[in-house]
């Protein structure tokens, strides 16, 4: 695992050590108290969640227990849509100071309201994430998450200010300007989506800015979309940094629900003193044992404006308990391996895009961007993995990871010259069949073909039911 080596006295300080390293029993008592308070507040607020609690025979929070969560009702994105825009508030409307959200299918966003207290809580959670990456007062944070309704930009922004760091609110896009600002302001930390980190890394390498020529970046805090260990390795090589994962969702608060520490970098510490987490079987809703992937389900123990009880996120990850070498005692979640609704069923076999990503990224001749097309034109479901070729730029043979990572130069697109594209496709088809047990076709598409949402999240799956191909350069 790539992580920096720290002596005990050089471990970066936590932002809220009392909470982050609290003994387990003490935290369980705090969570129980807060859970009871949450139930009482939901009952007092009335509406959907109060009605469901009533149906479940819960008339007060008093006897709620952490080991009996299954008797409490759950909530889902549908509830937020049904209550759009202000339907599930637990405070008067005029106590809402900000609205954020995520763009959803059908054009209507999922909206989430924040009270003044919620904004303060969110800032602290993002300050925890930044501190876990080694940031402190004065650290320069280049924040390339999009600013706006999306929670990425403003969440990290407020966290950086709370920590006393120096935030550069550059937002997403305008890559040339980002390169200039990174060269001139010399930030230590980069925050953006992992797919944008790749684009920025390529642009920095093209501008001649690498670790050897003085690139200042030491760590990155990347999230808002799924990414695998393989992608982490390649980002570390491309930028010569330690890439850390941060997870969150607007419904729960935004970024800062969970984040990795630079000491271990092997799973995300969930801020479970505020966001009680369960992993449930996505089909039965029963809890799964620790270490088994399940649907992350959160109860927002301390949120005021839009508190949610047992919110089923749809995100699949495994939980792991124990103490981390960084000193945190918070439960860890694995990287998100997929969403319950992005599991592809191809000729009866269940496939997650992340499994395909793992195979593709192990092949140095393809770049870090890919998109999966489900070709449904013949009434069958064929899967086509569309990849871009590694170029001098995306292979980034100029960038070398720092010595302590033990990584050598990134592997450029060796092995397949321009004439042997068919060999590359055949090799990938073979590896995908071996790994997944199903036939996956492979297409090589022009650089820059991977679609993105307006806030810069990479789109990894596209359906093709009729008409033009959904990815440029893909032929029928
Ligand atoms: O993406 C919040 C965020 C911003 C997280 C910046 C991290 C960094 P939404 O736009 O509401 O909020 O999207 C939430 O994105 O349910 C996951 O499916 C996915 N997601 C977020 N972080 C990760 C991650 C923000 N680290 C949805 N790994 C979530 C995998 C992630 N998926």
């Amino acid at each position: 695992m790539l992580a920096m080596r720290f002596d005990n006295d050089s471990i970066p300080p936590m932002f809220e050590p009392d909470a982050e390293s609290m003994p387990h029993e003490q935290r369980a008592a705090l969570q129980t108290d807060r859970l009871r308070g949450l139930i009482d507040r939901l009952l007092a607020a009335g509406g959907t969640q109060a009605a469901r609690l009533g149906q479940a025979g819960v008339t007060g929070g008093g006897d709620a227990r952490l080991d009996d969560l299954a008797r409490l009702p759950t909530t889902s994105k549908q509830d937020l849509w049904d209550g759009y825009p202000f339907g599930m508030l637990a405070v008067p409307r005029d106590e809402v100071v900000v609205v954020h959200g995520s763009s959803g299918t059908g054009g209507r966003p999922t909206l989430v309201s924040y009270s003044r207290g919620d904004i303060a809580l969110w800032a602290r959670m993002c300050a925890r994430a930044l501190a876990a990456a080694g940031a402190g007062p004065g650290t320069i944070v280049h924040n390339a998450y999009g600013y706006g309704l999306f929670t990425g930009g403003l969440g990290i922004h407020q966290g950086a200010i709370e920590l006393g760091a120096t935030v550069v609110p550059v937002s997403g896009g305008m890559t040339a300007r980002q390169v200039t600002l990174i060269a001139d302001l010399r930030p230590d930390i980069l925050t953006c989506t992992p797919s944008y980190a790749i684009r920025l890394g390529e642009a920095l390498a093209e501008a001649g800015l690498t670790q050897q020529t003085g690139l200042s970046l030491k760590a990155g805090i990347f999230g808002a979309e799924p990414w695998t260990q393989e992608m982490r390795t390649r980002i570390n090589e491309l930028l010569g940094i330690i890439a850390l994962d941060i997870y969150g969702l607007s419904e729960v608060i935004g970024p800062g629900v969970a984040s990795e520490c630079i000491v271990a970098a092997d799973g995300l510490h969930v801020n479970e003193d505020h966001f009680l987490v369960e992993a449930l079987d996505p089909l039965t809703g029963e809890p799964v044992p620790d270490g088994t992937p399940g649907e992350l389900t959160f109860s927002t123990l301390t949120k005021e404006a839009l508190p949610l009880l047992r919110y089923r996120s749809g995100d699949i990850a495994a939980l792991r308990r124990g103490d981390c070498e960084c000193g945190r005692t918070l439960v860890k979640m694995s990287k998100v391996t997929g969403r319950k609704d992005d599991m592809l069923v191809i000729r009866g076999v269940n496939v997650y895009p992340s499994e395909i990503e793992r195979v593709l990224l192990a092949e140095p001749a393809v770049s870090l961007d890919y998109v999966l097309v489900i070709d449904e034109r013949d009434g069958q479901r064929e899967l086509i993995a569309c990849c871009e070729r590694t170029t001098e730029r995306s292979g980034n043979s100029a960038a070398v990871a720092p010595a302590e990572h033990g990584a050598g130069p990134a592997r450029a697109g060796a092995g397949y010259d321009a004439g042997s594209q068919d060999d590359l496709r055949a090799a990938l088809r073979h590896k995908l069949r071996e790994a997944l047990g199903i036939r996956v076709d492979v297409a090589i598409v022009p650089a820059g073909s991977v679609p993105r949402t307006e806030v810069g999240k990479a789109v990894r799956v596209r359906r093709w039911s009729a008409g033009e191909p959904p990815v440029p350069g893909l032929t029928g």
Side-chain angles (χ1 to χ4, degrees), residues 404-443:
E404 70 264 31
H405 303 170
R411 305 144 303 171
Y416 301 93
D417 59 28
S420 59
Q421 198 140 297
D422 287 346
D423 293 347
L424 171 60
R425 292 179 54 209
L428 282 173
R429 272 200 297 260
H430 177 71
K431 286 179 188 164
L432 285 165
R433 175 180 275 285
E434 289 227 306
L436 306 170
I438 54 163
R439 182 178 67 244
V440 180
D441 203 358
V442 175

Short mmCIF file of all heavy atoms in Angstrom, two decimals, residues 404-443:
data_model
loop_
_atom_site.label_atom_id
_atom_site.label_comp_id
_atom_site.label_asym_id
_atom_site.label_seq_id
_atom_site.Cartn_x
_atom_site.Cartn_y
_atom_site.Cartn_z
N GLU A 404 10.24 7.47 -1.50
CA GLU A 404 9.72 6.65 -0.41
C GLU A 404 8.52 5.81 -0.83
O GLU A 404 8.11 4.91 -0.15
CB GLU A 404 9.38 7.50 0.82
CG GLU A 404 8.20 8.40 0.68
CD GLU A 404 8.62 9.81 0.30
OE1 GLU A 404 9.64 9.96 -0.40
OE2 GLU A 404 7.94 10.74 0.70
N HIS A 405 7.91 6.13 -1.98
CA HIS A 405 6.79 5.31 -2.43
C HIS A 405 7.28 4.03 -3.08
O HIS A 405 6.49 3.15 -3.38
CB HIS A 405 5.93 6.05 -3.46
CG HIS A 405 5.42 7.34 -2.94
ND1 HIS A 405 4.80 8.26 -3.72
CD2 HIS A 405 5.44 7.85 -1.69
CE1 HIS A 405 4.47 9.30 -2.98
NE2 HIS A 405 4.84 9.07 -1.76
N GLY A 406 8.56 3.97 -3.37
CA GLY A 406 9.09 2.77 -3.99
C GLY A 406 8.60 2.58 -5.41
O GLY A 406 8.70 1.50 -5.98
N ALA A 407 8.05 3.61 -6.02
CA ALA A 407 7.53 3.44 -7.38
C ALA A 407 8.51 4.04 -8.38
O ALA A 407 9.09 5.08 -8.14
CB ALA A 407 6.18 4.14 -7.50
N GLY A 408 8.70 3.40 -9.48
CA GLY A 408 9.58 3.90 -10.52
C GLY A 408 8.80 4.78 -11.47
O GLY A 408 7.66 5.16 -11.17
N PRO A 409 9.37 5.09 -12.63
CA PRO A 409 8.68 5.91 -13.59
C PRO A 409 7.38 5.24 -14.05
O PRO A 409 7.31 4.02 -14.09
CB PRO A 409 9.67 6.01 -14.76
CG PRO A 409 10.97 5.55 -14.24
CD PRO A 409 10.69 4.68 -13.07
N ALA A 410 6.38 6.06 -14.36
CA ALA A 410 5.14 5.49 -14.87
C ALA A 410 5.44 4.74 -16.15
O ALA A 410 6.31 5.11 -16.91
CB ALA A 410 4.15 6.62 -15.15
N ARG A 411 4.68 3.65 -16.37
CA ARG A 411 4.91 2.89 -17.57
C ARG A 411 4.23 3.58 -18.73
O ARG A 411 3.02 3.75 -18.74
CB ARG A 411 4.33 1.48 -17.40
CG ARG A 411 4.87 0.78 -16.18
CD ARG A 411 3.81 -0.07 -15.52
NE ARG A 411 2.65 0.71 -15.14
CZ ARG A 411 1.54 0.17 -14.72
NH1 ARG A 411 1.41 -1.11 -14.64
NH2 ARG A 411 0.52 0.93 -14.39
N ALA A 412 4.99 4.02 -19.72
CA ALA A 412 4.37 4.62 -20.89
C ALA A 412 3.78 3.50 -21.72
O ALA A 412 3.91 2.33 -21.39
CB ALA A 412 5.40 5.41 -21.68
N GLY A 413 3.11 3.84 -22.80
CA GLY A 413 2.36 2.85 -23.57
C GLY A 413 3.23 1.87 -24.32
O GLY A 413 3.11 1.72 -25.53
N ALA A 414 4.08 1.19 -23.59
CA ALA A 414 5.00 0.27 -24.23
C ALA A 414 4.27 -0.98 -24.71
O ALA A 414 3.23 -1.34 -24.22
CB ALA A 414 6.07 -0.13 -23.24
N GLY A 415 4.84 -1.65 -25.68
CA GLY A 415 4.34 -2.97 -26.03
C GLY A 415 3.46 -3.00 -27.26
O GLY A 415 3.44 -3.98 -27.99
N TYR A 416 2.71 -1.95 -27.52
CA TYR A 416 1.83 -1.94 -28.68
C TYR A 416 2.09 -0.67 -29.48
O TYR A 416 1.75 0.41 -29.02
CB TYR A 416 0.36 -1.96 -28.25
CG TYR A 416 0.01 -3.16 -27.41
CD1 TYR A 416 0.08 -3.09 -26.03
CD2 TYR A 416 -0.36 -4.36 -28.01
CE1 TYR A 416 -0.22 -4.19 -25.25
CE2 TYR A 416 -0.67 -5.46 -27.23
CZ TYR A 416 -0.60 -5.37 -25.85
OH TYR A 416 -0.91 -6.45 -25.08
N ASP A 417 2.69 -0.77 -30.66
CA ASP A 417 2.88 0.44 -31.43
C ASP A 417 1.59 0.73 -32.20
O ASP A 417 0.61 -0.01 -32.11
CB ASP A 417 4.11 0.33 -32.35
CG ASP A 417 3.97 -0.84 -33.31
OD1 ASP A 417 2.82 -1.19 -33.64
OD2 ASP A 417 5.01 -1.41 -33.70
N ALA A 418 1.63 1.84 -32.94
CA ALA A 418 0.40 2.29 -33.57
C ALA A 418 -0.21 1.21 -34.46
O ALA A 418 -1.43 1.10 -34.60
CB ALA A 418 0.69 3.55 -34.39
N GLY A 419 0.62 0.33 -35.03
CA GLY A 419 0.11 -0.67 -35.96
C GLY A 419 -0.52 -1.87 -35.26
O GLY A 419 -1.21 -2.67 -35.89
N SER A 420 -0.30 -2.00 -33.96
CA SER A 420 -0.77 -3.23 -33.34
C SER A 420 -1.98 -3.01 -32.43
O SER A 420 -2.13 -3.67 -31.42
CB SER A 420 0.37 -3.87 -32.55
OG SER A 420 0.82 -2.98 -31.57
N GLN A 421 -2.82 -2.07 -32.85
CA GLN A 421 -4.02 -1.78 -32.08
C GLN A 421 -4.90 -3.04 -31.94
O GLN A 421 -5.51 -3.25 -30.89
CB GLN A 421 -4.80 -0.69 -32.80
CG GLN A 421 -5.80 0.00 -31.93
CD GLN A 421 -5.80 1.49 -32.23
OE1 GLN A 421 -4.80 2.17 -32.04
NE2 GLN A 421 -6.92 1.96 -32.73
N ASP A 422 -4.94 -3.83 -33.00
CA ASP A 422 -5.77 -5.04 -32.95
C ASP A 422 -5.25 -6.00 -31.89
O ASP A 422 -6.02 -6.67 -31.20
CB ASP A 422 -5.80 -5.74 -34.30
CG ASP A 422 -6.64 -4.94 -35.29
OD1 ASP A 422 -7.38 -4.03 -34.83
OD2 ASP A 422 -6.55 -5.20 -36.51
N ASP A 423 -3.90 -6.08 -31.78
CA ASP A 423 -3.32 -6.96 -30.76
C ASP A 423 -3.71 -6.48 -29.37
O ASP A 423 -4.02 -7.27 -28.48
CB ASP A 423 -1.78 -6.95 -30.85
CG ASP A 423 -1.30 -7.59 -32.13
OD1 ASP A 423 -2.13 -8.24 -32.80
OD2 ASP A 423 -0.12 -7.42 -32.47
N LEU A 424 -3.67 -5.16 -29.17
CA LEU A 424 -4.03 -4.59 -27.88
C LEU A 424 -5.49 -4.94 -27.55
O LEU A 424 -5.80 -5.38 -26.44
CB LEU A 424 -3.84 -3.07 -27.91
CG LEU A 424 -4.39 -2.30 -26.70
CD1 LEU A 424 -3.73 -2.74 -25.41
CD2 LEU A 424 -4.15 -0.79 -26.89
N ARG A 425 -6.37 -4.76 -28.52
CA ARG A 425 -7.79 -5.06 -28.29
C ARG A 425 -7.97 -6.53 -27.95
O ARG A 425 -8.70 -6.90 -27.02
CB ARG A 425 -8.62 -4.68 -29.51
CG ARG A 425 -8.68 -3.16 -29.73
CD ARG A 425 -9.50 -2.82 -30.95
NE ARG A 425 -10.82 -3.41 -30.89
CZ ARG A 425 -11.54 -3.77 -31.96
NH1 ARG A 425 -11.07 -3.60 -33.17
NH2 ARG A 425 -12.74 -4.30 -31.81
N ALA A 426 -7.26 -7.39 -28.71
CA ALA A 426 -7.40 -8.84 -28.48
C ALA A 426 -6.88 -9.20 -27.08
O ALA A 426 -7.50 -9.98 -26.35
CB ALA A 426 -6.63 -9.61 -29.55
N ALA A 427 -5.77 -8.58 -26.69
CA ALA A 427 -5.20 -8.90 -25.37
C ALA A 427 -6.15 -8.47 -24.27
O ALA A 427 -6.38 -9.19 -23.29
CB ALA A 427 -3.85 -8.18 -25.21
N LEU A 428 -6.75 -7.29 -24.44
CA LEU A 428 -7.69 -6.82 -23.41
C LEU A 428 -8.95 -7.68 -23.36
O LEU A 428 -9.46 -7.98 -22.28
CB LEU A 428 -8.05 -5.35 -23.67
CG LEU A 428 -6.99 -4.34 -23.24
CD1 LEU A 428 -7.37 -2.94 -23.71
CD2 LEU A 428 -6.82 -4.34 -21.72
N ARG A 429 -9.44 -8.04 -24.53
CA ARG A 429 -10.64 -8.91 -24.56
C ARG A 429 -10.37 -10.20 -23.78
O ARG A 429 -11.20 -10.66 -23.01
CB ARG A 429 -11.00 -9.25 -26.02
CG ARG A 429 -11.93 -8.20 -26.66
CD ARG A 429 -12.64 -8.78 -27.86
NE ARG A 429 -11.69 -9.14 -28.90
CZ ARG A 429 -11.42 -8.40 -29.98
NH1 ARG A 429 -12.05 -7.26 -30.16
NH2 ARG A 429 -10.55 -8.81 -30.87
N HIS A 430 -9.16 -10.74 -24.00
CA HIS A 430 -8.79 -11.99 -23.35
C HIS A 430 -8.74 -11.80 -21.82
O HIS A 430 -9.30 -12.58 -21.06
CB HIS A 430 -7.43 -12.44 -23.90
CG HIS A 430 -6.92 -13.68 -23.24
ND1 HIS A 430 -7.48 -14.92 -23.46
CD2 HIS A 430 -5.92 -13.86 -22.33
CE1 HIS A 430 -6.84 -15.81 -22.72
NE2 HIS A 430 -5.89 -15.19 -22.03
N LYS A 431 -8.08 -10.71 -21.40
CA LYS A 431 -7.94 -10.47 -19.95
C LYS A 431 -9.31 -10.24 -19.31
O LYS A 431 -9.57 -10.67 -18.19
CB LYS A 431 -7.05 -9.25 -19.70
CG LYS A 431 -5.58 -9.56 -19.95
CD LYS A 431 -4.73 -8.34 -19.72
CE LYS A 431 -3.30 -8.58 -20.15
NZ LYS A 431 -2.53 -7.37 -20.30
N LEU A 432 -10.20 -9.53 -20.02
CA LEU A 432 -11.52 -9.26 -19.45
C LEU A 432 -12.32 -10.56 -19.34
O LEU A 432 -13.02 -10.79 -18.35
CB LEU A 432 -12.27 -8.24 -20.33
CG LEU A 432 -11.76 -6.80 -20.18
CD1 LEU A 432 -12.26 -5.91 -21.33
CD2 LEU A 432 -12.23 -6.21 -18.85
N ARG A 433 -12.20 -11.42 -20.34
CA ARG A 433 -12.92 -12.69 -20.26
C ARG A 433 -12.40 -13.52 -19.08
O ARG A 433 -13.17 -14.10 -18.33
CB ARG A 433 -12.81 -13.48 -21.57
CG ARG A 433 -13.47 -14.84 -21.45
CD ARG A 433 -13.37 -15.63 -22.73
NE ARG A 433 -14.42 -15.34 -23.68
CZ ARG A 433 -15.67 -15.75 -23.58
NH1 ARG A 433 -16.06 -16.45 -22.54
NH2 ARG A 433 -16.56 -15.47 -24.50
N GLU A 434 -11.07 -13.51 -18.94
CA GLU A 434 -10.48 -14.27 -17.83
C GLU A 434 -10.96 -13.75 -16.48
O GLU A 434 -11.28 -14.51 -15.59
CB GLU A 434 -8.96 -14.14 -17.87
CG GLU A 434 -8.33 -14.89 -19.02
CD GLU A 434 -7.15 -15.71 -18.55
OE1 GLU A 434 -6.27 -15.09 -17.92
OE2 GLU A 434 -7.15 -16.93 -18.79
N ALA A 435 -11.01 -12.42 -16.36
CA ALA A 435 -11.34 -11.83 -15.05
C ALA A 435 -12.83 -11.91 -14.75
O ALA A 435 -13.23 -12.08 -13.61
CB ALA A 435 -10.88 -10.37 -15.01
N LEU A 436 -13.67 -11.74 -15.76
CA LEU A 436 -15.10 -11.60 -15.51
C LEU A 436 -15.92 -12.81 -15.94
O LEU A 436 -17.07 -12.97 -15.55
CB LEU A 436 -15.66 -10.37 -16.25
CG LEU A 436 -14.93 -9.06 -15.99
CD1 LEU A 436 -15.41 -8.00 -16.95
CD2 LEU A 436 -15.18 -8.62 -14.57
N GLY A 437 -15.33 -13.60 -16.80
CA GLY A 437 -16.06 -14.79 -17.26
C GLY A 437 -17.09 -14.47 -18.32
O GLY A 437 -17.95 -15.30 -18.62
N ILE A 438 -17.06 -13.27 -18.87
CA ILE A 438 -17.99 -12.96 -19.96
C ILE A 438 -17.24 -12.28 -21.10
O ILE A 438 -16.14 -11.77 -20.91
CB ILE A 438 -19.15 -12.03 -19.52
CG1 ILE A 438 -18.57 -10.75 -18.88
CG2 ILE A 438 -20.12 -12.72 -18.63
CD1 ILE A 438 -19.58 -9.64 -18.80
N ARG A 439 -17.88 -12.26 -22.26
CA ARG A 439 -17.26 -11.61 -23.41
C ARG A 439 -17.47 -10.09 -23.29
O ARG A 439 -18.60 -9.64 -23.07
CB ARG A 439 -17.94 -12.13 -24.70
CG ARG A 439 -17.37 -11.57 -25.98
CD ARG A 439 -18.07 -12.17 -27.20
NE ARG A 439 -19.48 -11.73 -27.28
CZ ARG A 439 -20.52 -12.54 -27.19
NH1 ARG A 439 -20.34 -13.83 -27.01
NH2 ARG A 439 -21.76 -12.07 -27.27
N VAL A 440 -16.39 -9.34 -23.40
CA VAL A 440 -16.48 -7.88 -23.42
C VAL A 440 -15.70 -7.42 -24.66
O VAL A 440 -14.54 -7.78 -24.83
CB VAL A 440 -15.84 -7.25 -22.16
CG1 VAL A 440 -15.95 -5.73 -22.20
CG2 VAL A 440 -16.47 -7.79 -20.89
N ASP A 441 -16.35 -6.66 -25.52
CA ASP A 441 -15.62 -6.16 -26.69
C ASP A 441 -14.80 -4.93 -26.25
O ASP A 441 -15.12 -4.29 -25.24
CB ASP A 441 -16.61 -5.79 -27.80
CG ASP A 441 -15.91 -5.80 -29.17
OD1 ASP A 441 -14.69 -6.06 -29.20
OD2 ASP A 441 -16.59 -5.54 -30.17
N VAL A 442 -13.78 -4.62 -27.01
CA VAL A 442 -12.93 -3.48 -26.65
C VAL A 442 -12.80 -2.57 -27.87
O VAL A 442 -12.57 -3.04 -28.98
CB VAL A 442 -11.52 -3.96 -26.21
CG1 VAL A 442 -10.60 -2.78 -25.95
CG2 VAL A 442 -11.63 -4.84 -24.96
N ALA A 443 -13.01 -1.27 -27.67
CA ALA A 443 -12.82 -0.31 -28.76
C ALA A 443 -11.80 0.73 -28.30
O ALA A 443 -11.79 1.12 -27.13
CB ALA A 443 -14.14 0.37 -29.09
#
